[in-house]
Amino acid sequence: APREAAAVQQAGEAARPGEGEKQEEEKEGVLRELAAEAAGAQERVQQLNRKAASALASVNAAFKELDDVVSTVAAVEQEIKRIKELAKDSGVMNKVEMANYTREKLLPMQDTLKSLCSLLAPEPGGLFVRMFLGQVNVKLYREGEKYAMKREYEKFKRRTNPLFILLVVLTWIFSESILMNILLEIWVLFFFVTLTLRENILRVNGSRIKQWWIVHHYVSIVLCLVVLLWPPSSISFRLFHSQFMMYCLAQGLVQFLQNRYQMRRLYNLVAMGKASPMDVTGEVEVVTEMTERNVLWSPNVVLLFPFILFIQLFQLYNSYSIFAYVAVEGCVDWQLITSAVIFLVLAVGNFSVTSYAYLQKWREYKDQT
């Protein structure tokens, strides 16, 4: 047995040099493959780098051309005005001929220039946007980016609504908690600031958002700040706290119903080509475009409109009850009086805009029939 073991050991030692050489060859082969793969990857990286540099140069050149187009628009507009004045001063055309010439020749050119300027000119947004972002261009030139921003806007409203309702319920249950009240007001303030910021940018990029709804959000931001600065220990705050929570809960539920209805309606209008893909769901507007069917009296609208009217009447009631309390008790808390004025502005503005839009659609429907 010892002899056999020694023989096996000697045979293994004799075979080891061959196995070592084989392992070295396999290692070298793997290293060569890795080197070839790395060289190919490095070549692709260099190609991508060159392509990216070329693309960026093309983009910069394209934006420079856009700037040239925008800067030329003003000069061409002045030229059109000069042509109009020249035609008027020449006296070769009477008033009717001059009006026809302006309508047929000059106005189309002015409309084209206006469209070009609206499409291409950089815009920093309104004062509200500049307060947060500064004097920067917020116009998006890629359609995909515009649609992505619009989708994120709708997603933000859809996802934050249930959270708002939950916070209102918790604040109502724990009404004595100062932390819950502050948390709710900070959340609502964040919601309206974010919503207003996005809406201003969307308007710059082609979304048809009525000015009143943006003003509505400005006023709501002021209301949030007023309530946030309202001492929870004051008598007036405790007196109207339950009423405000009831209003917030009702508003959250109505907004939830609105979003569901308006998202479906907007999807149908875009599919039928009667709305732009950049259009957004209205904040409190229930009126939609007319179709062959009488949408004005559809079951969804008939069901939703009373809730919209209820919220607007609730806003009016809030204002009335606060003013009545001030008149009877003589309370002069500035938060109380400011809240009453804001609720009155919201109620009158919302009711006026909604009623006007609804009556306008009704007249259009009667004219069509």
Side-chain angles (χ1 to χ4, degrees):
R3 292 179 181 178
E4 292 178 357
V8 170
Q9 183 178 2
Q10 292 177 357
E13 291 176 354
R16 282 174 187 171
E19 291 180 357
E21 293 176 358
K22 185 178 180 180
Q23 291 177 354
E24 288 294 330
E25 291 178 357
E26 291 178 353
K27 182 177 179 181
E28 291 177 359
V30 172
L31 290 175
R32 284 194 298 269
E33 290 179 2
L34 291 175
E37 292 290 339
Q42 184 178 6
E43 178 63 24
R44 287 192 292 273
V45 169
Q46 291 176 353
Q47 290 177 356
L48 288 175
N49 190 27
R50 290 192 295 268
K51 186 180 292 186
S54 176
L56 288 175
S58 300
V59 169
N60 291 331
F63 276 108
K64 185 176 180 181
E65 290 181 4
L66 289 179
D67 292 338
D68 293 339
V69 170
V70 172
S71 61
T72 309
V73 166
V76 178
E77 287 179 342
Q78 292 297 325
E79 184 177 352
I80 293 174
K81 290 181 180 180
R82 185 179 59 81
I83 294 173
K84 183 177 180 180
E85 294 175 357
L86 181 61
K88 184 178 180 181
D89 296 338
S90 63
V92 297
M93 291 182 288
N94 56 35
K95 291 184 178 180
V96 176
E97 292 174 339
M98 185 64 193
N100 293 334
Y101 177 77
T102 302
R103 183 178 62 255
E104 296 175 1
K105 298 293 183 181
L106 302 183
L107 285 181
M109 291 189 290
Q110 290 177 331
D111 292 339
T112 301
L113 293 176
K114 184 178 179 180
S115 177
L116 283 175
C117 191
S118 175
L119 181 65
L120 302 177
E123 292 188 35
L127 177 61
F128 189 81
V129 178
R130 295 197 299 272
M131 286 173 56
F132 287 89
L133 304 182
Q135 196 76 17
V136 297
N137 179 32
V138 295
K139 177 167 287 187
L140 303 174
Y141 295 98
R142 296 174 61 182
E143 294 298 323
E145 293 177 347
K146 293 181 180 181
Y147 299 149
M149 174 166 285
K150 185 254 184 182
R151 287 194 302 269
E152 288 299 319
Y153 167 81
E154 300 290 0
K155 188 189 300 182
F156 175 77
K157 290 203 304 181
R158 186 173 64 252
R159 290 183 175 180
T160 53
N161 184 259
L163 181 58
F164 170 70
I165 296 175
L166 177 62
L167 283 175
V168 171
V169 173
L170 291 176
T171 305
W172 202 350
I173 294 174
F174 303 100
S175 58
E176 298 298 326
S177 173
I178 299 177
L179 178 61
M180 284 302 304
N181 283 280
I182 294 176
L183 181 63
L184 174 62
E185 294 306 324
I186 290 177
W187 167 254
V188 177
L189 180 63
F190 161 77
F191 172 79
F192 280 115
V193 168
T194 304
L195 206 64
T196 308
L197 188 63
R198 297 189 184 199
E199 286 174 345
N200 276 280
I201 297 176
L202 283 171
R203 284 195 74 190
V204 171
N205 289 281
S207 293
R208 294 180 294 182
I209 303 175
K210 287 187 176 181
Q211 184 63 34
W212 162 248
W213 305 130
I214 296 181
V215 173
H216 174 278
H217 295 154
Y218 289 149
V219 177
S220 298
I221 290 172
V222 176
L223 179 61
C224 292
L225 291 173
V226 170
V227 178
L228 189 61
L229 296 174
W230 204 337
S233 59
S234 64
I235 298 177
S236 57
F237 182 87
R238 293 182 178 182
L239 183 64
F240 288 98
H241 182 266
S242 296
Q243 182 175 324
F244 286 170
M245 290 300 100
M246 190 182 302
Y247 164 76
C248 291
L249 180 60
Q251 187 181 45
L253 294 173
V254 171
Q255 285 179 347
F256 176 77
L257 295 175
Q258 277 184 265
N259 288 335
R260 289 178 60 87
Y261 165 74
Q262 291 172 339
M263 282 296 295
R264 291 197 302 267
R265 184 62 191 149
L266 181 60
Y267 177 82
N268 293 333
L269 289 173
V270 172
M272 292 185 297
K274 297 188 176 182
S276 168
M278 285 300 296
D279 286 344
V280 298
T281 54
E283 186 65 21
V284 292
E285 186 175 357
V286 71
V287 182
T288 56
E289 294 289 338
M290 299 299 298
T291 62
E292 292 78 7
R293 300 173 60 186
N294 192 353
V295 179
L296 217 57
W297 301 110
S298 67
N300 288 329
V301 175
V302 172
L303 177 65
L304 189 58
F305 187 75
F307 290 100
I308 302 295
L309 185 61
F310 170 75
I311 289 297
Q312 295 170 359
L313 291 176
F314 206 149
Q315 292 169 342
L316 188 63
Y317 172 73
N318 286 338
S319 178
Y320 167 77
S321 59
I322 293 175
F323 277 129
Y325 174 77
V326 171
V328 173
E329 301 295 334
C331 180
V332 291
D333 290 347
W334 71 268
Q335 296 95 341
L336 195 65
I337 298 174
T338 306
S339 298
V341 173
I342 290 175
F343 275 120
L344 181 61
V345 171
L346 292 176
V348 174
N350 290 337
F351 183 78
S352 300
V353 172
T354 304
S355 300
Y356 174 78
Y358 200 86
L359 291 175
Q360 187 179 25
K361 294 300 179 184
W362 171 252
R363 293 192 189 98
E364 292 178 4
Y365 172 74
K366 294 297 290 184
D367 293 339
Q368 293 174 2
T369 55

